[in-house]
Amino acid sequence: MYNKLIFEISKPGRKGYTLPENDLPAKHVEDLLPEKYLRQSPPQLPEVSENEVMRHYINISTKNHHIDKGFYPLGSCTMKYNPKVNEVTAAMPGFRNTHPRTPEEYSQGALELMYELAGLLTEIAGLESTSLQPAAGAQGELTGLLMIRAYHDKQGKPRKKIIVPDSSHGTNPATVTIAGYQSVNVKSNENGTVDLNDLAKVIDEDVAGLMLTNPNTLGIFEDQITKIQQMMHDAGALMYMDGANLNALLGIVRPGEMGIDCVHFNLHKTFSTPHGGGGPGSGPVAVSKRLEPFLPKPRVVKENGRYRFNYDYPDSIGKVHSFFGNFGMLVRAYTYIRMHGPEELRAISENAIINANYLLSKLRDHFELPFDSPVMHEFVLSASRQKAMGARAMDIAKRLLDYGFHAPTIYFPLIVREALMIEPTETETKETLDAFAEALIKINEEIKTNKEIVLDSPHSTPVKRLDDAKAAKEIDVCYKE
Ligand SMILES: *Cc1c(COP(=O)(O)O)cnc(C)c1O
């Protein structure tokens, strides 16, 4: 069919793109559009060769810091590894060319992959069932809270509040509000974990659930989890786990074993799908038996060796995403999980934990460590000593760029002043971690001996310190003046 396509240079008054025969009621694109929308003059496209285009993008990409160029220790963002083999599987024609409206009998492979992936994630979570629909961690959270709401409503006992620890990720209280709940804070104790006395004070019969990140955003495992879930369940409330950083727990402990009713995964943080601007994201949710009837629909089911979408779930909260989720991401995550298998999944977490503890051991004498508990996949230092000498966490973050490293997450979690939240991840070598620690130690020395060089940094980047707020409000992405 495509050999009938003819491209002509688009000139005013001349018919351009010829449509494939029989596909549409008109021969030319122009005939489908009202006259007033038709171009009156040729488009102002730059005349450039293939080499020039390639060089342009390569040059731009080297001006930025990215994972292909250097270490990227942003905390709570977890792994930033996108294996190239993921792109190979996601580009297989059967996956790449499928359309959400392809009839089920022609998309058995895609349906099988979704069915299998949901099963693998359910097993990893130690729970009952999984929906692949949510497009991000935050949307997984919303999906979870809508299910918790549906659960309480179905019992005929609607509830109004969700408890959120003061160390939680900003998306947690935001989700609570969007889901129509009131967010109630619970304090952290001196170990950086949930303060059980404070928790007991805020639990009442209006509480629908607790949103807990485990390991929490300080990188510390909530070792009282068994008690916490008991307290919540005794009060008729449910347990939501923010599993964004699940790469600390794979094969070691499962949310289901900790009494969790609902957990979201960030495929872009634990299962190697692209992160941030390279997305789109994917935030599947797994649920316990209690919440299973409320999962989004449709779900893929298997009958007599065939797969189909089942819409017949009367208590479902409905759809949370157009069609079935970000399918290309599901292919990548499936590839990653199958490529590793159960033992290696555990090794991933063990490496993440070892790397974080190794890096912490190198830095703990040089920075304040506000919560000195053993850590999992990440740790949080404070630059308050450095601040007393006149250089803040922001200055340290900027100076790191001169040493060829991306900054860690700074000023989060909110309960740590001058926070430097560092997550080395499982995929970095000892040499990289050593070099990063040396850079931070050197910056620490500079603050004592040559502070200006830190305060005026970065010196080596194409642009210096940006006004982030202005950059977001007055976007300027022109190719040329
Ligand atoms: C990243 C993160 C989220 C939000 O995930 P998105 O995919 O960015 O929406 C929620 N909670 C924690 C702990 C996170 O690290």
Side-chain angles (χ1 to χ4, degrees):
M1 172 173 92
Y2 290 113
N3 55 15
K4 293 215 176 107
L5 286 180
I6 300 163
F7 291 91
E8 291 177 28
I9 295 165
S10 169
K11 281 191 186 152
R14 184 165 162 187
K15 295 288 184 191
Y17 187 72
T18 306
L19 296 164
E21 248 170 64
N22 306 330
D23 265 19
L24 286 165
K27 192 152 188 283
H28 296 284
V29 177
E30 288 86 338
D31 299 334
L32 296 170
L33 292 173
E35 185 74 27
K36 63 177 173 178
Y37 295 127
L38 293 182
R39 185 185 288 289
Q40 298 306 312
S41 57
Q44 296 290 313
L45 296 175
E47 294 282 330
V48 282
S49 70
E50 181 177 339
N51 272 344
E52 283 175 296
V53 173
M54 190 58 107
R55 286 170 199 157
H56 171 70
Y57 284 109
I58 292 283
N59 283 334
I60 291 179
S61 82
T62 60
K63 289 194 169 116
N64 219 336
H65 188 95
H66 48 82
I67 196 71
D68 291 336
K69 234 177 97 173
F71 183 48
Y72 214 112
L74 276 177
S76 206
C77 287
T78 308
M79 61 140 40
K80 299 103 193 162
Y81 171 50
N82 309 133
K84 299 293 177 264
V85 65
N86 285 359
E87 302 312 308
V88 175
T89 51
M92 289 165 90
F95 293 138
R96 185 185 57 203
N97 297 336
T98 194
H99 186 277
R101 293 207 194 279
T102 307
E104 284 165 6
E105 59 267 38
Y106 300 133
S107 47
Q108 285 294 303
L111 289 172
E112 179 176 357
L113 183 134
M114 293 171 80
Y115 179 86
E116 290 292 326
L117 177 62
L120 291 169
L121 292 176
T122 302
E123 187 182 341
I124 288 168
L127 287 167
E128 184 69 19
S129 192
T130 296
S131 168
L132 302 173
Q133 271 185 35
Q139 204 194 4
E141 292 172 27
L142 180 61
T143 306
L145 290 200
L146 293 178
M147 287 190 278
I148 289 177
R149 164 184 294 280
Y151 166 83
H152 289 295
D153 288 357
K154 181 89 183 172
Q155 315 271 309
K157 294 183 194 128
R159 296 183 173 212
K160 296 196 190 97
K161 303 186 219 165
I162 296 278
I163 301 174
V164 185
D166 60 5
S167 63
S168 75
H169 194 269
T171 49
N172 292 185
T175 300
V176 170
T177 307
I178 288 186
Y181 282 113
Q182 185 191 331
S183 141
V184 180
N185 238 302
V186 59
K187 287 200 202 82
S188 301
N189 59 27
E190 64 284 357
N191 302 323
T193 53
V194 170
D195 184 329
L196 295 197
N197 292 329
D198 198 44
L199 181 63
K201 279 186 214 145
V202 292
I203 296 179
D204 61 28
E205 69 252 28
D206 261 342
V207 170
L210 169 68
M211 282 187 105
L212 190 70
T213 308
N214 199 12
N216 64 28
T217 56
L218 295 163
I220 298 169
F221 186 79
E222 292 284 349
D223 55 359
Q224 305 269 35
I225 180 70
T226 323
K227 267 198 199 132
I228 295 173
Q229 67 88 18
Q230 196 60 51
M231 287 165 76
M232 297 306 294
H233 285 131
D234 285 351
L238 301 187
M239 288 291 293
Y240 184 92
M241 180 173 137
D242 179 330
N245 310 129
L246 201 71
N247 72 332
L249 302 182
L250 294 176
I252 298 173
V253 63
R254 305 192 294 170
E257 294 158 355
M258 298 189 282
I260 301 300
D261 294 290
C262 182
V263 60
H264 79 258
F265 305 87
N266 284 45
L267 298 189
H268 45 290
K269 291 185 182 176
T270 306
F271 297 109
S272 81
T273 71
H275 209 143
S282 185
V285 285
V287 292
S288 63
K289 256 204 173 82
R290 282 194 194 97
L291 288 180
E292 186 269 343
F294 308 103
L295 273 179
K297 61 183 179 182
R299 296 188 228 165
V300 181
V301 293
K302 185 177 182 183
E303 282 164 2
N304 308 321
R306 308 289 293 168
Y307 301 89
R308 69 174 181 88
F309 286 116
N310 188 2
Y311 287 82
D312 187 17
Y313 300 101
D315 289 330
S316 164
I317 60 163
K319 264 179 171 248
V320 298
H321 193 283
S322 57
F323 299 110
F324 320 111
N326 286 328
F327 178 70
M329 297 305 130
L330 307 182
V331 179
R332 289 169 175 86
Y334 179 80
T335 305
Y336 186 73
I337 295 171
R338 289 301 306 274
M339 197 170 69
H340 285 287
E343 262 103 60
E344 279 185 34
L345 284 185
R346 185 183 167 105
I348 285 169
S349 288
E350 288 171 346
N351 279 339
I353 295 168
I354 289 167
N355 278 0
N357 282 280
Y358 176 70
L359 195 51
L360 173 58
S361 75
K362 297 211 111 187
L363 293 171
R364 61 184 305 144
D365 292 341
H366 304 273
F367 292 86
E368 190 187 318
L369 179 62
F371 296 100
D372 193 358
S373 301
V375 296
M376 301 291 281
H377 61 302
E378 68 190 356
F379 57 92
V380 181
L381 301 171
S382 164
S384 50
R385 271 187 233 153
Q386 287 73 11
K387 189 184 173 198
M389 291 187 277
R392 304 193 57 190
M394 175 67 93
D395 302 311
I396 297 170
K398 295 295 179 189
R399 182 63 176 147
L400 271 171
L401 291 168
D402 289 332
Y403 286 96
F405 295 109
H406 194 280
T409 297
I410 53 174
Y411 301 112
F412 178 76
L414 303 177
I415 53 173
V416 173
R417 283 177 308 134
E418 297 298 317
L420 295 167
M421 184 194 213
I422 301 175
E423 180 165 20
T425 81
E426 60 272 30
T427 48
E428 299 295 339
T429 61
K430 179 172 176 296
E431 288 73 19
T432 300
L433 303 186
D434 287 341
F436 178 71
E438 262 164 44
L440 270 176
I441 293 167
K442 203 147 169 226
I443 293 169
N444 205 16
E445 285 307 310
E446 287 173 346
I447 293 170
K448 291 175 194 156
T449 57
N450 185 12
K451 198 167 57 192
E452 296 310 315
I453 201 167
V454 179
L455 299 184
D456 293 340
S457 64
H459 303 276
S460 61
T461 51
V463 287
K464 305 303 168 202
R465 296 205 188 191
L466 298 174
D467 179 339
D468 298 343
K470 186 162 187 257
K473 285 192 175 145
E474 294 172 30
I475 294 173
D476 177 4
V477 289
C478 278
Y479 164 60
K480 274 181 184 165
E481 292 308 305

